Amino acid sequence: MLQAVRYLLGSPGGANGFGSKSTAEEVTPDLCSVTAIITGATSGIGAETARVLAKRGARVVIPARSVKAAEDMRARIRDECPGADVLVMPLDLSSLASVRAFADRFLDLGLPLHLLINNAGKFSHGQLALSEDGVEMTFATNYLGHFLLTKLLVGRMAETAAETGVQGRIVNVSSSVHGWFAGDWAEYLQLVTRRKIPYDATQAYAVSKLANVLHTKALAARLQEMGANVTANCVHPGIVRTRLNRDRDGLLTDLVFLLLSKLLKTIPQAAATTCYVAAHPRVAGVTGRYFADCNEALPSPAATSNHEAARLWQISEAIIHCTNTNKSTGLGLLFPPIVQEAGDDQT
């Protein structure tokens, strides 16, 4: 109860002085000479993250499935910050081939890389859809594409950190919804993909966000084993305030909407935790942790398992290897190679 009251009041949750009402601009220091890749930066939390980092002097790379949307975002940033260095590059996270192509293009530029913010995500409102690689679309977009992207870019991040002495940071944007799934995620994906159980969009989203947290745990351990001066953390941005129903009427209904609005965040507030973990000096050296409201928090029990983190990594590596060598049978029983055309709201 006390924690809920503090959240509503926006009280700082720790010694850093920041809390649920802090904004991205408030928590982000100067970032001159820093290069950041931010996925999903054409709208919402990702767009605010890109805007603030660019405003603080970072070179921002915006990969997007819709290049036009990314170019529009670049124009908006430059309208506010005329000298901002913003690069636009094509990327469809649901396609592992597209992820590989993006990584190749970026590495060919010879740029340093200090920050990788894996922010893009989707929530399916329809029926089961599979990626071109035969993977459930929400899992493919929210997790698997980011897993491969990170794998392909982490070497450049380690090199940049060694050359500049500036610690690299990887931020995976998860959600508290990851705690809504407590079963066997691999079995669930297998059954859903084979249409053995009904598709539940919320469960699929929760599985993908659980994977984000487990990925962070395994990645942080591997970075330490490598001796790389790069950290990996994940964040829960909070629930963002959206336009409420304007046709509501009645005192009771108005009261419900008023109370609900106090629990939700504005987009600048929702982007704060991502920016804090990506850039604030207080997070230097911190790795493998879960953050909410700009402070460390506890993920669900399922997200703390070393065994599940290692299992997820192993399965992810197997999928990536098989798709890279065109061995559809290599996807095995977990993700049979069924390809279904479907829309994707990722930008």
Side-chain angles (χ1 to χ4, degrees), residues 30-63:
D30 178 75
L31 293 172
C32 186
S33 301
V34 167
T35 297
I37 293 176
I38 308 168
T39 67
T42 60
S43 63
I45 296 171
E48 176 68 1
T49 301
R51 184 191 72 82
V52 171
L53 265 58
K55 186 174 183 178
R56 292 290 184 262
R59 175 194 288 122
V60 173
V61 180
I62 300 180

Side-chain angles (χ1 to χ4, degrees), residues 37 39 113-118 149-150 153 157 169-171:
I37 293 176
T39 67
L113 181 58
H114 305 85
L115 305 178
L116 174 59
I117 301 177
N118 293 321
L149 181 66
T150 303
L153 296 179
M157 295 192 73
R169 299 188 188 185
I170 299 168
V171 181

